[in-house]
């Protein structure tokens, strides 16, 4: 039996503890979603989604027609950003990391349809092994971690309007896709040389595959998170958004 005083000393998990955290967007944190410099209310067009990682990678949009909407109390009483699938997107103010190293992307999202070609995040130029894009892919009826070729895809049933926790992790050797903590696919890709660049939020490239649905949170870490840290992240997100995790 663990003594009570030792239990009390165990730190609670939060995303700020994740190693290599470079982007943390969370619509449910008050003041992180802004319209004209003030916290957005329900239905507002969002021009700024503040990065909570401390790296200053805030996501912004100046074009009125391309701004997603703030929607309150959507998933477990928490807010989301709603993207229209046409041209809504945000761009980070700073580059996300490039090179041959690993990364971990986690997205809490619900698509409007189960068959759309929807991207959640992407960065790097449109050339093989230089791009990272995480997306729903109707061509294989599932999900794809898109390197502009040399991709990892998995076919799996998708339910419209259902919130899921999706992760793509590359640890420098092995790439995996997970949903709600369950590994769906993996491979051993070679040749990654992503160009550090501004990331698009709400699409897998700056010009297409726009997401149609709700995004509650996006987190990006430089480096592949350990299984232990990934499990902690998934359990945290599961509790936060009332999603059952494996």
């Amino acid at each position: 039996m663990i003594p009570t005083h030792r239990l009390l000393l165990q730190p609670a998990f939060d995303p700020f503890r994740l190693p290599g955290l470079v982007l943390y967007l969370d619509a449910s944190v008050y003041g992180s979603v802004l319209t004209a410099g003030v916290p957005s209310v329900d239905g507002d067009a969002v021009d700024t989604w503040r990065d909570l990682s401390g790296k200053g990678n805030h996501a912004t949009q100046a074009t009125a027609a391309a701004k997603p909407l703030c929607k309150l109390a959507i998933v477990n009483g928490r807010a989301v950003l709603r993207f229209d699938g046409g041209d809504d997107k945000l761009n980070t103010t700073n580059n996300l990391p490039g090179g041959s190293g690993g990364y971990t992307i986690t997205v809490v999202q619900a698509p409007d349809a189960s068959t759309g070609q929807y991207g959640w995040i992407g960065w790097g130029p449109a050339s093989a092994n230089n791009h990272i894009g995480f997306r729903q892919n109707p061509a294989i009826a599932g999900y794809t971690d898109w390197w502009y070729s040399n991709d990892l895809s998995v076919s799996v049933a998708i339910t419209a309007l259902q919130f899921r926790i999706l992760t793509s992790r590359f640890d420098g050797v092995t790439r995996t896709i997970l949903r709600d903590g369950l590994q769906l696919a993996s491979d051993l890709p070679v040749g990654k040389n992503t160009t550090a660049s501004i990331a698009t939020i709400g699409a897998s490239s700056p010009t297409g595959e726009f997401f149609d649905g709700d995004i509650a949170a996006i987190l990006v870490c430089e480096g592949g998170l350990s299984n232990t840290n990934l499990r902690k992240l998934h359990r945290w997100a599961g509790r936060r958004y009332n999603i059952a995790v494996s």
Side-chain angles (χ1 to χ4, degrees):
M1 185 175 187
I2 301 175
T4 302
H5 70 277
R6 289 186 60 191
L7 286 172
L8 293 174
L9 291 173
Q10 299 303 308
F13 174 82
D14 64 57
F16 304 107
R17 299 178 183 274
L18 292 171
L21 184 67
V22 296
L23 181 68
Y24 173 26
L25 305 175
D26 189 335
S28 68
V29 174
Y30 182 76
S32 69
V33 175
L34 303 176
T35 300
V38 299
S40 304
V41 300
D42 192 60
D44 274 355
V46 174
D47 55 48
T48 303
W49 199 356
R50 293 186 61 82
D51 173 29
L52 304 174
S53 75
K55 302 297 185 182
N57 291 316
H58 310 304
T60 64
Q61 177 57 263
T63 302
K67 295 177 181 179
L69 301 181
C70 173
K71 298 300 294 181
L72 302 180
I74 297 299
V75 53
N76 201 30
R78 297 184 180 276
V80 301
L81 263 61
R82 180 160 294 170
F83 295 79
D84 68 3
D87 58 2
D88 286 2
K89 65 177 181 177
L90 302 162
N91 297 313
T92 60
T93 49
N94 298 317
N95 290 345
L96 293 195
S100 60
Y103 59 86
T104 306
I105 302 168
T106 295
V107 183
V108 181
Q109 59 80 52
D112 269 3
S114 61
T115 56
Q117 183 147 305
Y118 302 148
W120 304 292
I121 184 171
W123 71 95
S127 57
N129 296 319
N130 299 138
H131 182 83
I132 297 172
F134 197 21
R135 66 185 184 181
Q136 179 177 306
N137 186 352
I140 51 90
Y143 308 119
T144 295
D145 184 353
W146 182 38
W147 287 9
Y148 226 91
S149 82
N150 200 14
D151 307 328
L152 174 61
S153 295
V154 57
S155 298
V156 63
I158 296 172
T159 302
L161 306 178
Q162 182 179 15
F163 279 90
R164 310 301 292 257
I165 305 163
L166 301 174
T167 293
S168 181
R169 175 182 64 177
F170 177 57
D171 64 8
V173 177
T174 303
R175 179 172 50 177
T176 56
I177 293 176
L178 304 95
R179 185 171 71 178
D180 302 339
L182 178 67
Q183 181 172 312
L184 301 178
S186 67
D187 67 354
L188 302 170
V190 296
K192 176 182 177 291
N193 188 26
T194 310
T195 302
S197 61
I198 288 170
T200 302
I201 307 299
S204 54
S205 76
T207 58
E209 300 184 349
F210 295 102
F211 182 62
D212 188 359
D214 295 342
I215 298 178
I218 297 183
L219 301 94
V220 178
C221 294
E222 187 173 13
L225 289 179
S226 68
N227 288 336
T228 297
N229 281 324
L230 200 54
R231 191 175 304 112
K232 289 178 179 178
L233 173 58
H234 289 154
R235 289 176 177 172
W236 168 84
R239 291 190 300 270
R240 190 170 183 82
Y241 300 104
N242 194 28
I243 299 170
V245 299
S246 300

